[in-house]
Every structure is written in structure tokens, then in C-alpha cells.
Amino acid sequence: AQTVTQSQPEMSVQEAETVTLSCTYDTSESDYYLFWYKQPPSRQMILVIRQEAYKQQNATENRFSVNFQKAAKSFSLKISDSQLGDAAMYFCAFGGATNKLIFGTGTLLAVQP
Amino acid sequence: DVKVTQSSRYLVKRTGEKVFLECVQDMDHENMFWYRQDPGLGLRLIYFSYDVKMKEKGDIPEGYSVSREKKERFSLILESASTNQTSMYLCASTSPQGWNTIYFGEGSWLTVV
């Protein structure tokens, strides 16, 4: 069975600094997708970044980038030049061939002015 | 522009009542999911469906059932609501081709008293 683990319940970063959120996963599949979602207090789920496992190149979206280590089953999110609007809950998620979409427990990110 | 609609945003039910949470999507997606979100536990998969009348248990199916009679509608049923089912319930849908886009509903806040 697939599992997704986020070991940091809470993180804090100073505005304009860089922060890295950790995510590890477990699967026996070779072809799958990984996601980072942002959930502000409104509870809306906002896609931050998406990585296809067969692509070795790390995905980037503006200030957001990932460090995808397939052999280590690690998928961390780096947020550069942090902004106050980045404060939210961040979820790592796994989608594979079994049609299941599995989420981690989340990391609550605070951004200090 | 709403694509995934959860009909009930806030519900208060009594212990032992039968509760229906409805989710409708207008994108002809095959895959639909029901999650519950609790502090510190993230999003936990209750059930998912990959086609009409097809369903599979997620990680926490106990106390829940689902129905998918039409492709666009996926219902979560609490046969006999209990106080430990007080939670926020989130529906999602996606096409199975490459997990290209996942759409989420706005969530249903259920309180069982």
C-alpha cells in the first residue's frame, strides 16, 4: 500500500527567506505522480506543483521547486523568497496506477514579517 | 465555473441519524474520491470510485458507505452517525489519464451531536 509521510507538522520562515518542506513516500509502483497542494484557511485546495515520476528533471513553478529523489522516495518542496501569502497548510500527495490519491498529514507553514 | 459541487457546506446531525453527503462534478471524470480532514491527520481517503457502480475502500472506510449510480455523482453515506465522525469532508474528481488535473469541492463541515 502507498503511504505519504510529512514529518514536519509546523514550519516557520522569515519573509523573503527560503524554506524546504519534506515529504517521503512508499510505493512499489514505478510510474506515478507526486503533488504539493496549498490549503489556506478557506480550505480551498490549490495545486502548487506536480511531478511525474518518469521525469528526472525537477519541476519548478516560479518561486516553488521540488527536489525529487526517486530512489530515496523523497519529494521536498522549496519555497524561495517567501511571502506572507505563502502561509498555509501544505500537503504532499501521491497518485498512482491503482487510481488512489493519497495525502500526507500536512505541514503548517507560518511566514514571519 | 464551479466544477465539483458539494451540496451541503454545513450540517448538524444527531447521533444515530443517517447522513448523505453529495458530490457532483461536471467534467465527465471517471475517478471520484471522498476524504475527511482532521487536525494533525491530514486528508484521509475514505472511499474512491473509478467508474459508475465501482467503488473501492480507502484507508478509513469503517462507518461509511458510498454510492455511484451516475458518473457525475458520488455520495458518501453515514449509516448511523457518531460523534467521532464530526469532521470536514472533501470530495475530489479527476480523469485517470496521467492525473492531469484534480478538482476539489469546497468541503462539507459535519457536526454530529
Side-chain angles (χ1 to χ4, degrees), chain A residues 39 43 91, chain B residues 35-39 42-43 87-90:
Chain A
Q39 188 185 54
R43 297 300 182 117
F91 290 103
Chain B
Y35 299 89
R36 64 177 283 177
Q37 183 175 358
D38 302 286
L43 276 75
S87 186
M88 197 276 274
Y89 292 87
L90 198 60

Side-chain angles (χ1 to χ4, degrees), chain A residues 16-34:
Chain A
E17 296 294 309
T18 296
V19 65
T20 299
L21 308 184
S22 300
C23 173
T24 59
Y25 60 95
D26 191 25
T27 184
S28 58
E29 298 179 32
S30 59
D31 192 16
Y32 50 85
Y33 292 78
L34 296 163

